[in-house]
Amino acid sequence: MPLDRTAPPARTAATDEAPDPAGHPGPGPDPAGHPGPGPRARRLRLPAGAAQALLGYAAARLLGVAVLLVAAAASGEDAWHRLMGRWDAVWYARIAERGYGHEVTLPDGAVHSDLAFFPLFPALERALSAVLPIGVAPAGLVVSWTASLAAAWGAYAVGAHIAGRRAGVVLAVLWGVYPTAFVQSMAYTETLFTAFAAWSLYAVLRGRWVLAGALAVLAGLTRPSAVALIAALGVTALATAARERRVTPGLVAGVLLAPLGWLSYVVYVAVRTGSPTAYFDVQAGWGNSIDGGVALARFVGAQLTGAQPLAGVGLLAAFAVLGWAVWLCVRQRQPLPVLVYTLAVVAVSLVGAAYFGSRPRLIMPAFPLLLPAAVALLRLRVRYAVTVLAVLASASAAYGAFTLLGPGPP
């Protein structure tokens, strides 16, 4: 699905009140001679496209929380506990309160260490709970929800840069109705990581390498999947240097900065435990070792040959859809950093021996996967496109409530 090259470019005053989706000031006085807004007003004004994206995204996520609250009340459950007091959220809150050093030994002998969790999210929880009259668990929700808006804005900025403002708006909303988008409302790291990744990619698209590298540092302190973003910056830097036959100081600085966050935590774990492979050993204890997809293939095979082979068929269909989405991104000729990032996130999510139910969540930061669908929706009449998004939002909300009120981790 190639991009519609007849669409107006995303970065001109003719297509948006601001030429830059990130919010750079727009034009000055209007044709009638009235003065434009002052410098401060221009700095504070949210571009129309970004505002639409954030409103649409927020509506989708508020629907998800509302459905969860109703379903939880009907079943006698505590919805807020489900959002901030279960699974990984408990580990982050404990790190925020007490620091690293907690381990749990399972009946099978496996050791789950809190060193598997990167430090930036619990550090923000701790800092926020120190300045606000709330505990670290509610602080995690505040961090996650705030980051979700930054991530939606970043997705809009990338989408608008590539395919136009309207595509950016739809992309942000689609990310908010992703099947496992309920995680975006939990005290988890997906929104914080996606915010850093999206704005880092946008910075690369605009040639701001140092900013891109600095944001990659923060992403690397948030989730191990930052290796996808680091790879995207590195590959793009090599391609840029080869194309332009020169290397700028900014490009070098950005590329050298990018891996420092991820590396610093891996080194910290190594020094703390006295083993250079400690971080990878810790991940293996959680069952997250890299096996090239062997565990995934075995799981799908077990479903196909088990008591419910239709479940295996459904999994194969889901992988077919994922592969199709990746192919559409390639056909769309997305910019190199965006495409490399997307492919790397998908690859990292599939080649590990992680719990299968977590894989859709691990893929969720690959928001550019949804850009071909966003462009396709723009070909529909507005009322039909809105209907499709409303149906998807309702389905996502229902699935989120069902999953959060169930026993298994996302």
Side-chain angles (χ1 to χ4, degrees):
M1 184 186 300
L3 288 177
D4 180 6
R5 300 299 179 183
T6 63
R11 291 175 292 145
T12 67
T15 59
D16 203 344
E17 284 77 355
D20 180 353
H24 292 175
D30 64 24
H34 298 296
R40 180 175 177 80
R42 286 198 302 268
R43 286 197 301 269
L44 297 178
R45 186 178 65 182
L46 192 66
Q52 293 167 2
L54 292 178
L55 285 174
Y57 173 81
R61 297 310 324 131
L62 287 174
L63 175 63
V65 173
V67 170
L68 172 64
L69 290 172
V70 171
S75 58
E77 298 285 349
D78 183 351
W80 298 110
H81 173 70
R82 301 283 167 156
L83 292 175
M84 63 182 179
R86 298 185 73 194
W87 308 314
D88 290 3
V90 176
W91 288 86
Y92 285 117
R94 185 182 182 92
I95 295 169
E97 289 177 333
R98 307 178 189 181
Y100 286 103
H102 180 63
E103 292 183 349
V104 174
T105 302
L106 304 184
D108 63 0
V111 177
H112 286 186
S113 167
D114 59 8
L115 290 171
F117 299 92
F118 277 54
L120 184 55
F121 188 84
L124 292 175
E125 285 182 310
R126 183 182 183 92
L128 194 60
S129 65
V131 299
L132 295 179
I134 57 176
V136 294
L141 277 187
V142 175
V143 172
S144 179
W145 288 10
T146 302
S148 73
L149 295 176
W153 191 353
Y156 159 79
V158 172
H161 185 97
I162 297 172
R165 186 183 71 182
R166 293 172 63 228
V169 171
V170 178
L171 175 61
V173 178
L174 281 175
W175 191 66
V177 301
Y178 184 85
T180 57
F182 62 88
V183 177
Q184 298 170 19
S185 299
M186 298 177 67
Y188 268 45
T189 59
E190 273 70 18
T191 58
L192 187 64
F193 172 77
T194 305
F196 291 137
W199 285 109
S200 179
L201 291 173
Y202 182 69
V204 171
L205 291 173
R206 295 184 62 83
R208 302 179 66 182
W209 284 96
V210 175
L211 176 59
L215 291 169
V217 171
L218 297 175
L221 291 170
T222 305
R223 287 189 63 79
S225 46
V227 293
L229 182 61
I230 296 166
L233 268 62
V235 171
T236 305
L238 289 174
T240 301
R243 182 180 66 251
E244 298 182 356
R245 297 184 179 180
R246 67 188 182 95
V247 177
T248 64
L251 183 148
V252 173
V255 171
L256 293 179
L257 272 174
L260 294 185
W262 185 88
L263 281 175
S264 65
Y265 184 66
V266 172
V267 171
Y268 165 77
V269 176
V271 172
R272 181 185 176 101
T273 60
S275 169
T277 62
Y279 172 74
F280 304 99
D281 297 336
V282 167
Q283 288 289 355
W286 281 82
N288 292 335
S289 58
I290 302 298
D291 67 358
V294 173
L296 178 60
R298 287 176 178 170
F299 179 83
V300 175
Q303 299 303 309
L304 288 169
T305 58
Q308 296 180 321
L310 286 180
V313 174
L315 290 176
L316 291 178
F319 286 123
V321 171
L322 176 62
W324 184 45
V326 169
W327 170 240
L328 289 177
C329 290
V330 175
R331 283 192 60 194
Q332 197 178 40
R333 289 182 283 182
Q334 293 182 3
L336 183 62
V338 176
L339 189 59
V340 172
Y341 167 77
T342 301
L343 296 177
V345 170
V346 172
V348 168
S349 304
L350 297 181
V351 300
Y355 169 67
F356 179 82
S358 296
R359 294 180 193 265
R361 170 175 65 86
L362 299 178
I363 294 174
M364 186 168 61
F367 65 91
L369 277 174
L370 303 171
L371 186 56
V375 173
L377 278 175
L378 291 178
R379 295 174 182 152
L380 301 177
R381 292 187 177 183
V382 173
R383 63 176 179 272
Y384 295 143
V386 170
T387 300
V388 170
L389 291 174
V391 170
L392 291 175
S394 300
S396 177
Y399 177 70
F402 171 79
T403 303
L404 284 170
L405 295 175

